Amino acid sequence: FVGTWNLSGQDPPKDLRYFIPIGLYDIYMIGTQECGASIEESILTNYTVRWERQLMSKFSEEYVRVDSTYMVALHGIVFIRKELAQH
């Protein structure tokens, strides 16, 4: 699953099921823009910590976080099923 979402400076909603179909795929790459802050605010501060925590709590049972990256207002994170992580 690959999805990207421009949050326009808003925090993501608590319920993510309508955007991220967790459990249907082996690998997820989720990208966001302006997550929790505008582009201008993101230049000075990384606002993705809360977002990553929220995602990790949703994926925590069957998936592991492979990596994430952040550049100004762009953020990407990858999850993979635990049983595939050893390969």
Side-chain angles (χ1 to χ4, degrees), residues 1 8 12 22 24 27 34-35 44 51 62-63 66-67 70 84-85 87:
F1 173 86
S8 300
I22 297 172
L24 295 179
I27 301 171
E34 300 176 43
C35 183
L44 301 174
W51 174 234
E62 299 177 43
Y63 295 85
V66 176
D67 200 5
Y70 170 79
L84 299 175
H87 300 288

Side-chain angles (χ1 to χ4, degrees), residues 8 10 29 57 60 66 73 81-82:
S8 300
Q10 304 298 311
M29 191 294 165
S57 72
S60 65
V66 176
R81 281 195 194 273
K82 286 182 181 178

Side-chain angles (χ1 to χ4, degrees), residues 64-80:
V64 293
R65 177 185 162 275
V66 176
D67 200 5
S68 69
T69 189
Y70 170 79
M71 184 178 72
V72 186
L74 304 175
H75 176 258
I77 189 166
V78 177
F79 291 92
I80 189 169

